[in-house]
Amino acid sequence: MFGFKLSVLFFAVFSLSKCSGRFVYSCKYPPSQWCDSEDIAAECGVLEQCMKFNVTKPNADKVNVSLYYESLCPGCRGFLVGQLLPTFIMLSEIMNVDLVPYGNAQEKEDQGKYTFICQHGEGECQGNMIETCLLDKLGMDALFVIFCMESGTDVLKAAQPCLAIYNPEITWDSVMKCVTGDQGNKLMHGNAVKTNALKPPHVYVPWITINGEHTDDLQNKAMTSLFSLVCSLYKGEKPAACTLGLKKETTSYCMK
């Protein structure tokens, strides 16, 4: 088995410029499966890349990176697109990613139902809910759809075409059923509980925890170069990608 490799980055970067234009997607497998076997890699046109980068095997606990964010926060979008997703693609063998779309929102309960007020308006609440439902339905494959959404000019308008590009087997109607129904409401409540339980409490987003811990030093290092931070914290044999480096400082925040 090949495992998930850097070849997916080429697709992610390429599709970034294509999300708003015409795109023909001929591979029937989602990106996370492209390097699962030689046959799949060949069918999806990434055999050479999968073979080239299939050199890292984890031999220690992975570094856990959690991002607490909101869908329309400029700083959150910049970090997710410029730091988090590229780092995960390069270092997926040694890191886990957890996305929690909620951020600086506020929650109110009425007879077992929850309503949410978001910092950047109703559109952000909609974006948070869509991304929450995508994460529930797709697991880690949702990262690529969310990356595509957050890198677009209009996050909400990009959602449906981004899903069609990365996970065409999932219908948009099934996502919206979650968004508008009890399932999405409960999932977002879970995000609220998780966010409100942060210690120390978050005072801005993006708010980043590394292995469950948040400090000013970890936050600054993650915002400056998450790639370098993950490589430095991994206690096993460093993957070859760690010698390449990735640095793009992101300093924009959405304060509470």
Side-chain angles (χ1 to χ4, degrees):
M1 301 295 284
F2 279 11
F4 184 82
K5 295 298 168 187
L6 178 63
S7 56
V8 180
L9 176 60
F10 302 145
F11 179 83
V13 173
F14 176 71
S15 63
L16 172 59
S17 63
K18 298 294 185 178
C19 280
S20 60
R22 190 175 180 184
F23 184 86
V24 178
Y25 179 67
S26 58
C27 178
K28 66 183 180 182
Y29 298 94
S32 62
Q33 296 179 17
W34 285 1
C35 295
D36 280 358
S37 71
E38 292 188 18
D39 289 341
I40 294 176
E43 181 175 338
C44 296
V46 292
L47 179 59
E48 180 180 353
Q49 291 86 353
C50 287
M51 294 181 68
K52 181 177 180 180
F53 291 101
N54 185 35
V55 295
T56 304
K57 298 297 181 184
N59 55 6
D61 291 340
K62 291 186 177 183
V63 179
N64 298 308
V65 179
S66 297
L67 173 63
Y68 295 80
Y69 74 106
E70 49 199 30
S71 61
L72 299 188
C73 166
C76 300
R77 298 177 67 186
F79 176 77
L80 196 153
V81 172
Q83 290 275 356
L84 183 62
L85 198 283
T87 298
F88 176 69
I89 289 170
M90 295 281 284
L91 301 178
S92 63
E93 294 281 357
I94 65 170
M95 70 180 289
N96 295 316
V97 171
D98 182 32
L99 296 184
V100 186
Y102 184 79
N104 298 331
Q106 298 177 14
E107 178 187 60
K108 295 182 180 180
E109 183 181 1
D110 182 16
Q111 297 180 347
K113 292 285 187 178
Y114 301 94
T115 58
F116 306 95
I117 301 173
C118 296
Q119 185 172 21
H120 299 93
E122 292 183 6
E124 181 164 80
C125 283
Q126 180 83 350
N128 290 348
M129 188 69 79
I130 290 172
E131 294 182 1
T132 295
C133 287
L134 288 170
L135 288 163
D136 182 63
K137 279 186 166 295
L138 302 176
M140 295 306 293
D141 284 344
L143 287 176
F144 298 95
V145 185
I146 292 171
F147 164 82
C148 182
M149 290 173 59
E150 296 292 342
S151 63
T153 302
D154 189 314
V155 173
L156 296 179
K157 288 183 179 179
Q160 186 172 0
C162 285
L163 178 65
I165 289 171
Y166 285 98
N167 292 91
E169 74 281 5
I170 302 297
T171 67
W172 181 246
D173 286 346
S174 69
V175 175
M176 291 308 296
K177 182 178 179 181
C178 169
V179 168
T180 59
D182 290 342
Q183 182 185 14
N185 195 258
K186 291 177 181 177
L187 290 170
M188 188 57 65
H189 171 62
N191 287 353
V193 170
K194 192 171 182 177
T195 302
N196 292 333
L198 283 167
K199 294 182 180 180
H202 83 287
V203 294
Y204 52 75
V205 287
W207 186 265
I208 303 159
T209 68
I210 306 295
N211 293 328
E213 180 182 7
H214 176 93
T215 66
D216 290 343
D217 182 58
L218 287 172
Q219 178 81 23
N220 291 334
K221 287 179 178 178
M223 295 293 281
T224 301
S225 179
L226 179 65
F227 184 96
S228 297
L229 178 61
V230 171
C231 284
S232 68
L233 292 177
Y234 183 62
K235 299 183 184 301
E237 182 180 351
K238 308 295 184 186
C242 282
T243 63
L244 301 176
L246 177 67
K247 183 174 182 179
K248 181 179 179 182
E249 186 171 0
T250 306
T251 56
S252 176
Y253 291 95
C254 290
M255 307 301 293
K256 291 185 71 175

